[in-house]
Amino acid sequence: MRKALSIFLAVSTLLSVFACEALPMPEDPEKQNDNAANPSNNQGDGDETPNYEDANSKTLVVYYSYTGNCKDIVSSVTGLIEADVMELKPAVDGQDYAANNYKLGADLINAINAKPDEAASYPGIKTIDRNAADYDTVIIVTPLWHSHMAAFMQAYLFKYGSQMAGKNVGLIVSSHSSGISSVIADAKRLLSNATFMGDALWINQSNRGKQDELVKNWLTGLNLIENTMPSKIKISVSGKTIPINIENNDATKALVAALRETSITYEAKDYGGFEKVGPLGRTLPTSDTQITTQAGDVILYSGNQIVLFYGSNTWSYTRIGKMQYESLDELKSFLKAGEGNISVTLLL
Ligand SMILES: Cc1cc2nc3c(=O)[nH]c(=O)nc-3n(C[C@H](O)[C@H](O)[C@H](O)COP(=O)(O)O)c2cc1C
């Protein structure tokens, strides 16, 4: 895959010198429209009637991800705002869209480009489980394929885009390096009745390291952050960062509001053989109840102390959330359980 990507990148860089964002083309031009001409060659389709799940929030994030970059972008988004998430999956499993210098991916895009108004030009996707019409805002996260929107996202929008009529739609595009103007054009063609919010966000190889910050600025610019509570915050100790799934209560609302301004770093000490406790440096609203804690719990004690549990204790506390970890051993090593003080950073 890595070798194929470097060949593809070398070829696309060369071609782009001559033609803006040019990409490798299938060798036999006759074959370019095979998918359009022959729907049976068209990757099948999950044609059952969708059985939609109820919407839990006002925002839907829809994504397709072949190699994981868009999935990672979705994590950045859902770390900051509350949203339901729907992943699109090709109807046919196990295809290698990057094989033979990205031939299959190119064929799918070329078929759409040849006859964009015909349903048969679009590859099949598995049955979807969310109805975009149930949401106020839809965020589309898609890879760029051959300068265009990835074929499976185009297939979804062609088939279900009418669910987004009148909705606010945001677009995030992930590419290696190619510019995203044709992806934006695809989105506008496929969602002619939606209201696009601001500019699309472009994540690529050279800015991926700053992805969290770029996503945060983009969401803030669209006024999506202020209005919604995230489902997660993050905790960082000694350079390692893991998510905390948070409660939705007055304490977490105040904590998230503080973290929107800046991250919070404090010193925590080991206590009782079951926790790391330290002063947050501010007071949060409490709703204390008698709780028997479990490993992973993040608890507010006395309104101004954060307790990170790797064991159990029963006391009157306010729940903040739960650290997401693989195993108790991993959690204990993360918190340096039973050892000295640690510097803890909480962040969005
Ligand atoms: C079939 C295919 C075609 C691609 N075409 C391009 C391209 O034209 N320009 C580019 O910069 N990246 C291209 N890429 C790279 C992807 O856009 C990039 O790796 C993206 O981050 C992938 O997102 P994902 O990991 O969520 O699938 C292509 C990838 C595939 C699989």
Side-chain angles (χ1 to χ4, degrees):
M1 171 71 195
R2 221 173 247 189
K3 194 174 172 197
L5 185 59
S6 33
I7 293 170
F8 153 72
L9 290 170
V11 175
S12 72
T13 308
L14 266 181
L15 288 175
S16 62
V17 172
F18 301 103
C20 182
E21 295 162 25
L23 286 149
M25 301 294 283
E27 283 153 25
D28 180 358
E30 287 289 298
K31 286 191 179 162
Q32 285 183 29
N33 291 336
D34 271 6
N35 290 329
N38 177 7
S40 66
N41 200 21
N42 200 18
Q43 306 279 300
D45 203 350
D47 245 352
E48 306 104 68
T49 311
N51 187 9
Y52 296 123
E53 287 183 29
D54 291 342
N56 300 315
S57 76
K58 292 181 171 178
T59 302
L60 175 66
V61 178
V62 183
Y63 78 99
Y64 168 69
S65 188
Y66 178 50
T67 54
N69 291 335
C70 286
K71 187 173 185 164
D72 202 46
I73 293 170
V74 170
S75 297
S76 298
V77 172
T78 54
L80 292 165
I81 63 168
E82 195 175 315
D84 290 338
V85 175
M86 178 166 75
E87 178 180 7
L88 303 179
K89 298 222 169 96
V92 180
D93 294 324
Q95 300 274 37
D96 185 351
Y97 303 106
N100 301 324
N101 204 15
Y102 295 77
K103 172 146 182 5
L104 184 49
D107 284 352
L108 294 176
I109 295 297
N110 288 330
I112 295 171
N113 288 346
K115 295 180 181 171
D117 297 332
E118 291 186 13
S121 307
Y122 293 83
I125 54 172
K126 288 205 160 78
T127 311
I128 59 166
D129 60 4
R130 299 273 179 193
N131 185 349
D134 294 341
Y135 297 84
D136 296 341
T137 301
V138 181
I139 297 175
I140 292 164
V141 185
T142 180
L144 171 149
W145 278 12
H146 295 268
S147 294
H148 285 271
M149 181 182 284
F152 299 102
M153 183 58 80
Q154 292 205 50
Y156 164 69
L157 296 182
F158 183 85
K159 197 164 177 184
Y160 299 103
S162 58
Q163 294 177 346
M164 286 172 229
K167 304 288 172 187
N168 295 320
V169 172
L171 179 64
I172 304 181
V173 184
S174 175
S175 77
H176 181 274
S177 49
S178 296
I180 65 169
S181 55
S182 297
V183 183
I184 295 170
D186 291 332
K188 294 202 165 146
R189 168 176 57 82
L190 292 159
L191 292 174
S192 52
N193 294 322
T195 306
F196 284 91
M197 300 183 295
D199 291 334
L201 174 61
W202 176 25
I203 305 288
N204 53 59
Q205 201 59 16
S206 57
N207 68 11
R208 211 174 295 286
K210 290 187 184 166
Q211 179 180 298
D212 279 345
E213 187 187 332
L214 292 168
V215 167
K216 183 176 171 186
N217 292 343
W218 184 76
L219 290 168
T220 306
L222 300 181
N223 278 330
L224 289 176
I225 287 198
E226 253 63 51
N227 306 329
T228 46
M229 266 291 279
S231 56
K232 295 174 195 141
I233 60 172
K234 293 181 201 148
I235 176 167
S236 193
V237 177
S238 302
K240 184 168 185 214
T241 304
I242 63 171
I244 303 174
N245 286 356
I246 55 169
E247 303 281 317
N248 191 346
N249 58 28
D250 287 346
T252 54
K253 281 179 192 155
L255 179 59
V256 165
L259 294 177
R260 278 187 181 128
E261 301 296 317
T262 179
S263 58
I264 298 175
T265 299
Y266 66 93
E267 194 82 354
K269 65 175 185 193
D270 216 80
Y271 181 78
F274 48 75
E275 69 179 40
K276 276 280 192 309
V277 57
L280 192 59
R282 68 201 69 218
T283 302
L284 303 179
T286 56
S287 46
D288 286 350
T289 52
Q290 195 77 355
I291 295 172
T292 298
T293 62
Q294 295 175 339
D297 282 344
V298 180
I299 297 287
L300 179 66
Y301 161 63
S302 179
N304 59 5
Q305 309 269 319
I306 292 288
V307 195
L308 307 169
F309 281 94
Y310 54 86
S312 180
N313 190 36
T314 301
W315 199 260
S316 187
Y317 295 127
T318 299
R319 281 195 189 280
I320 297 292
K322 193 158 186 86
M323 288 174 276
Q324 301 300 295
Y325 58 94
E326 297 286 326
S327 67
L328 186 56
D329 279 350
E330 188 212 53
L331 178 70
K332 284 182 165 175
S333 131
F334 176 71
L335 294 176
K336 302 200 174 22
E339 298 173 32
N341 290 7
I342 54 171
S343 175
V344 177
T345 299
L346 300 176
L347 65 164
L348 283 178

